[in-house]
Amino acid sequence: LILLLLFLFAFVFFLPEITNFVTNYKNEVTGNSDLKSGTMTCKMNLSTDNINYEYTLTFRYTENKLKSSSSVTTSRLADSATDSNILTEKQNDCLALKETVDNTDIGMSTSCDVSAAMQRTTQEIDYEKLDLDYISTNIAEFGGFYPEYELNQSARAIEKELTGNGYTCEKNEY
């Protein structure tokens, strides 16, 4: 009876490892592995009368589970006659977000770049360090920015969502 209890306890204790082992073995045998690691880059271009936007999202994942991401938004004036105040506003918004992020350690960083005809905002997020409670509490300081994705979210689900919204995605898996 004691041996049976010990066996049951060990089985329950090691159940996650056993499940992981069986899943990995099954994926190796069938050649259908959803548990790949790598990066996925998704891009989309949009244009308005005044601005051409280029969105580039790069996700890093391990065993199909999201770990970090990079978001680059590039805004270019459609032509030289377009008022560059639009880019100045975007740069000011970016700098305000950068100042907020730089003053905290919440798993996020921001950089801003501007020229005569282009403004670029880059946001890096480490989901393992991301403090969503702090962002939720101080959402106004973040200019309404709130991360769309979560730690360990399925990279395949993200890809499906983004391609459904007009992005094209490329994966580099290993």
Side-chain angles (χ1 to χ4, degrees), residues 154-174:
S154 166
R156 301 295 175 263
I158 293 170
E159 178 184 23
K160 184 176 180 181
E161 173 192 338
L162 289 174
T163 55
N165 288 330
Y167 283 81
T168 56
C169 297
E170 293 181 15
K171 292 179 281 204
N172 182 11
E173 296 180 324
Y174 48 88

Side-chain angles (χ1 to χ4, degrees), residues 2-13:
I2 293 174
L3 283 173
L4 179 62
L5 287 174
L6 284 173
F7 175 75
L8 284 174
F9 176 75
F11 182 77
V12 169
F13 184 76

Side-chain angles (χ1 to χ4, degrees), residues 104-119:
T104 59
D105 183 23
I106 58 166
M108 190 171 135
S109 66
T110 301
S111 64
C112 311
D113 185 30
V114 68
S115 69
M118 180 271 304
Q119 192 280 331

Side-chain angles (χ1 to χ4, degrees), residues 43-46 52-56 72-76:
K43 295 182 178 186
M44 181 172 63
N45 295 316
L46 292 175
N52 297 325
Y53 296 97
E54 179 183 305
Y55 301 98
T56 304
V72 179
T73 303
T74 304
S75 306
R76 296 182 199 282

